[in-house]
């Protein structure tokens, strides 16, 4: 799996939006950060209680992009192109959905999907 860092990580927000935008890792770090502490449960059965995540609320990025009224859902594709997932806009705009940069008070490691991963608190921890 390729590694990404400040020099080559990009998060692109495009599609049915008024203002397509590409964020660097430094751009995301400079934005207001939200901290969420919840249990993490994986589809394989393990659970880690009270796990802190920090990052940018996805709803803020969507608002900044100006999601068009006809949009109903968003699709995420990981940077190596292996996985993709979708959320309805209602799900994506929840306050507990983060573009996470930190987990357990440390930068997200490569082995945990870093340097950035989507964290959807009410859903299983996967992909």
């Amino acid at each position: 799996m390729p590694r990404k860092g400040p020099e080559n990580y990009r998060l692109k927000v495009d599609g049915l939006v008024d203002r397509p935008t590409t964020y660097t890792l430094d751009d995301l770090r400079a934005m207001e950060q939200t901290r969420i502490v919840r249990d993490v449960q994986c589809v394989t059965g393990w659970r880690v209680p009270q796990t802190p995540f920090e990052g940018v609320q996805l709803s803020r990025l969507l608002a900044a992009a100006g999601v068009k009224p006809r949009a109903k859902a968003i699709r995420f594709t990981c940077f190596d192109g292996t996985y993709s997932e979708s959320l309805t806009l209602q799900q994506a705009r929840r306050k507990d959905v983060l573009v996470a940069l930190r987990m357990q008070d440390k930068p997200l490691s490569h082995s945990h999907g870093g340097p950035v991963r989507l964290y959807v608190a009410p859903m299983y921890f996967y992909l």
Side-chain angles (χ1 to χ4, degrees), residues 14-18 66-74 87-89 93:
D14 63 2
L16 294 177
V17 297
D18 294 323
V67 176
K68 295 184 181 207
R70 69 180 191 261
K72 304 294 180 221
I74 57 175
L87 294 173
T88 67
L89 282 174
R93 288 180 169 140

Side-chain angles (χ1 to χ4, degrees), residues 6 8 21 27 29 46-47 49-50 56 66 70 78 89 91 93 97 104 107-108 111 118 125:
N8 61 358
T21 307
D27 293 334
R29 288 176 176 157
W46 56 262
R47 175 184 293 265
Q50 298 299 294
V56 179
R70 69 180 191 261
C78 65
L89 282 174
Q91 291 170 320
R93 288 180 169 140
V97 176
Q104 297 176 323
L108 263 162
S111 62
L118 184 66
F125 194 66

Side-chain angles (χ1 to χ4, degrees), residues 108-124:
L108 263 162
S109 67
H110 178 75
S111 62
H112 287 108
V116 174
R117 73 172 292 150
L118 184 66
Y119 176 62
V120 184
M123 294 183 162
Y124 285 114

Side-chain angles (χ1 to χ4, degrees), residues 14-77:
D14 63 2
L16 294 177
V17 297
D18 294 323
R19 295 171 296 281
T21 307
T22 299
Y23 297 96
T24 65
L25 191 53
D26 288 337
D27 293 334
L28 294 169
R29 288 176 176 157
M31 299 175 89
E32 181 180 339
Q33 302 293 298
T34 297
R35 181 179 171 91
I36 296 173
V37 180
R38 302 276 171 79
D39 290 358
V40 170
Q41 182 172 331
C42 183
V43 294
T44 61
W46 56 262
R47 175 184 293 265
V48 179
Q50 298 299 294
T51 304
F53 281 86
E54 292 176 58
V56 179
Q57 287 180 326
L58 180 57
S59 60
R60 292 177 189 263
L61 299 178
L62 296 175
V67 176
K68 295 184 181 207
R70 69 180 191 261
K72 304 294 180 221
I74 57 175
R75 184 178 70 180
F76 304 89
T77 304

